[in-house]
Amino acid sequence: MLKCINMKKHLLLIIILLTTVKFSFAQDTVKEEHTNLHFQQTVITQYKPAFYAPYSGQNSLSPKTETQSSITTTFFGAARLWQGAEVYFNPELSGGAGLSQTLGVAGFPNGETFRVGGVQNKIYIARLYYKQNFEWGKEKDTIADDLNQLAGLKSKRYFSFAIGKYGMADFFDNNNFSHDPRTQFMNWALMDNAAWDYPANTRGYVLGTYAELGQPDWTLRFAFTLVTTQANQSTWDAKVGKANTQTLEFERRYAIDGQKGTLRILTFLNNGKFGNYKLAIEQNPTAPNVDSTQAYGRHKYGFGINTDQYLTKDFGVFAKASYNDGHTETWFFTEIDRSFTLGGVLKGTSWKRSDDELGLAFIINGLSADHKDYLAAGGYGFIIGDGKLNYSPEMIAELYYKINAYQKKFWLSPDYQFILHPAYNADRGPVNVLGVRAHVEF
């Protein structure tokens, strides 16, 4: 604990020093920016009091009082190589842990911990990819200098592709109000469509190719990516013909009474050496192990619908619904086979804090019949498993308030999450999670 506190003091000193400098090597922002460099650091501390649990398994959320902290630090480098060609490089440091070592809740309350492999700080390459853009037409958008984004003008009609290491959330399943745990809601099920078992290694990044066709009112995206050799691990399977994923998304932008809205429809197919829940129960009805049934030729498919809508310039709402078939084991993200989320975000203009925001969201997560039977028989996944199961949908509410603490560069966000039926178990909980997030970005 003392080591964690010293680490935070050291990193806070780095933040204070770095915030005096703006890393940007650019021409006029109206013209094409040739290079830029940005920085972010996010520290999340969460506390939960003790809760009722008559039994626990190896993947259960601990019923004891607990406090944990996580930290991520990222540098975002970008360079324009030639007309339409860009390269991005993001070294990242992460450390700390989630509550109960990030176990025991499918909709986990800290969205930064899926990138964290251990308590000790580790440095790694988060992103390194090349992107090529082809444009036509006279209508232009002004692109601002931002994280992994070079300032300049971009045609509203274009085709682009990328290859390398990136995060699927960089391109897919965006949402104006519910997508980034560093600045918005913190819960896993609010980052993306929760039943999308999106391809990633244990830190949340993937190797693959990506293509995008853009028009003024709509965008079509596709990605082909690699698969890890084991669930929630980092070694990539070399048998690409048997272990791969395909993700397709259509995005439609529109306006209702002058207020912007977006609808996204996503579908995915994951292929690999996955285990099968039903077969695991047949092989060992009293202690099934889904990993023992792994074989090539297995698939997981599903879809997600994601929408956001501004109702006024200061208030917007969102909803997401997602599904996967749930026959094979969860491989990448979290153990959710059906999910529905609903929420809204209000800017603080009416109380003279226009840069602050208040967010409230609700989550309902569920399992397939095979997945449910597997956990009830005493099986374990890589996130949840109490040794037995009195099934009920996992329900979560999250409330946060984001405070502009210093010149839109330093933000503080107190957060509260109420979790009913953690890991789908009506015998355990409810759980209250109190947290605070400190986020620096420039």
Side-chain angles (χ1 to χ4, degrees):
M1 184 66 180
L2 183 60
K3 185 182 290 186
C4 183
I5 292 172
N6 290 335
M7 175 191 73
K8 289 181 185 177
K9 288 182 178 178
H10 178 68
L11 289 168
L12 183 59
L13 180 60
I14 293 174
I15 293 172
I16 294 170
L17 293 173
L18 287 174
T19 49
T20 64
V21 181
K22 174 70 168 84
F23 291 99
S24 183
F25 309 95
Q27 296 181 0
D28 191 313
T29 55
V30 176
K31 300 178 181 178
E32 283 193 342
E33 186 178 37
H34 293 296
T35 60
N36 69 18
L37 182 60
H38 290 270
F39 169 86
Q40 82 81 31
Q41 184 174 83
T42 304
V43 178
I44 296 178
T45 297
Q46 293 185 321
Y47 160 83
K48 67 168 179 61
F51 65 91
Y52 175 75
Y55 55 86
S56 297
Q58 68 183 37
N59 285 357
S60 293
L61 187 71
S62 170
K64 298 179 181 179
T65 300
E66 189 178 6
T67 302
Q68 293 288 354
S69 296
S70 67
I71 182 169
T72 58
T73 304
T74 317
F75 285 92
F76 301 85
R80 199 182 304 275
L81 303 179
W82 53 80
Q83 186 63 37
E86 301 163 358
V87 64
Y88 296 90
F89 175 57
N90 296 177
E92 186 166 76
L93 175 148
S94 68
L99 297 169
S100 301
Q101 300 301 308
T102 321
L103 298 171
V105 185
F108 199 78
N110 184 345
E112 283 291 272
T113 54
F114 81 103
R115 299 185 179 93
V116 177
V119 175
Q120 298 299 320
N121 288 332
K122 293 186 178 181
I123 299 175
Y124 50 91
I125 297 174
R127 298 174 181 86
L128 177 58
Y129 64 92
Y130 164 79
K131 184 177 181 181
Q132 179 69 54
N133 193 55
F134 303 95
E135 302 181 7
W136 62 93
K138 296 181 179 180
E139 295 178 90
K140 303 286 184 178
D141 281 325
T142 300
I143 307 300
D145 171 79
D146 207 343
L147 309 182
N148 288 332
Q149 184 170 285
L150 291 162
L153 296 177
K154 180 179 178 181
S155 175
K156 293 186 177 183
R157 292 176 170 84
Y158 65 90
F159 172 77
S160 65
F161 70 86
I163 185 168
K165 186 177 185 182
Y166 52 85
M168 291 295 283
D170 298 340
F171 304 119
F172 290 89
D173 209 25
N174 192 16
N175 190 286
N176 281 316
F177 310 113
S178 178
H179 188 58
D180 187 353
R182 294 173 177 174
T183 60
Q184 299 172 321
F185 294 98
M186 300 182 201
N187 194 280
W188 284 19
L190 293 169
M191 298 189 304
D192 299 286
N193 270 299
W196 174 29
D197 192 17
Y198 71 86
N201 62 13
T202 190
R203 297 185 184 277
Y205 303 103
V206 72
L207 293 175
T209 61
Y210 167 78
E212 179 174 298
L213 175 64
Q215 295 292 301
D217 297 325
W218 59 266
T219 305
L220 184 66
R221 305 180 177 95
F222 176 78
F224 180 93
T225 67
L226 302 188
V227 169
T228 54
T229 56
Q230 293 294 326
N232 195 38
Q233 296 299 315
S234 295
T235 301
W236 302 104
D237 196 325
K239 297 181 179 180
V240 180
K242 296 180 178 180
N244 57 72
T245 78
Q246 295 96 53
T247 308
L248 180 69
E249 182 183 61
F250 176 75
E251 176 183 294
R252 178 71 166 87
R253 297 173 292 277
Y254 56 87
I256 298 177
D257 293 331
Q259 300 297 333
K260 294 181 179 180
T262 312
L263 173 67
R264 303 169 188 87
I265 300 174
L266 178 146
T267 183
F268 69 94
L269 174 65
N270 298 343
N271 310 290
K273 192 178 180 180
F274 307 149
N276 181 277
Y277 292 123
K278 189 173 182 179
L279 181 58
I281 297 171
E282 291 173 356
Q283 290 183 352
N284 191 340
T286 58
N289 181 358
V290 70
D291 288 342
S292 68
T293 68
Q294 290 177 357
Y296 286 109
R298 302 272 171 75
H299 316 281
K300 184 185 290 290
Y301 63 86
F303 67 86
I305 301 173
N306 169 355
T307 184
D308 56 64
Q309 177 66 56
Y310 280 93
L311 301 182
T312 70
K313 64 182 180 65
D314 293 319
F315 178 60
V317 295
F318 70 91
K320 304 178 186 181
S322 54
Y323 164 93
N324 72 61
D325 63 287
H327 299 312
T328 57
E329 64 184 312
T330 301
W331 202 254
F332 302 110
F333 183 37
T334 190
E335 298 189 55
I336 298 173
D337 301 323
R338 294 95 171 89
S339 183
F340 177 76
T341 62
L342 177 69
V345 174
L346 176 66
K347 293 286 186 181
T349 305
S350 61
W351 57 93
K352 299 181 180 179
R353 295 281 303 179
S354 59
D355 296 320
D356 290 6
E357 65 182 38
L358 176 67
L360 176 63
F362 302 93
I363 304 164
I364 301 177
N365 298 323
L367 295 177
S368 68
D370 290 351
H371 199 165
K372 189 188 315 178
D373 292 343
Y374 172 76
L375 293 173
Y380 291 96
F382 66 79
I383 294 292
I384 62 175
D386 297 321
K388 55 182 177 177
L389 180 69
N390 178 14
Y391 179 79
S392 188
E394 183 180 81
M395 293 183 281
I396 304 170
E398 179 174 359
L399 175 69
Y400 78 90
Y401 184 84
K402 186 169 75 172
I403 302 164
N404 175 18
Y406 180 72
Q407 295 185 353
K408 297 184 183 180
K409 291 181 175 63
F410 179 47
W411 306 83
L412 289 173
S413 303
D415 182 271
Y416 169 68
Q417 296 180 53
F418 176 78
I419 304 171
L420 188 65
H421 312 145
Y424 312 98
N425 200 333
D427 291 340
R428 311 182 86 248
V431 181
N432 295 281
V433 178
L434 300 171
V436 63
R437 173 180 60 204
H439 176 72
V440 174
E441 180 180 306
F442 57 85

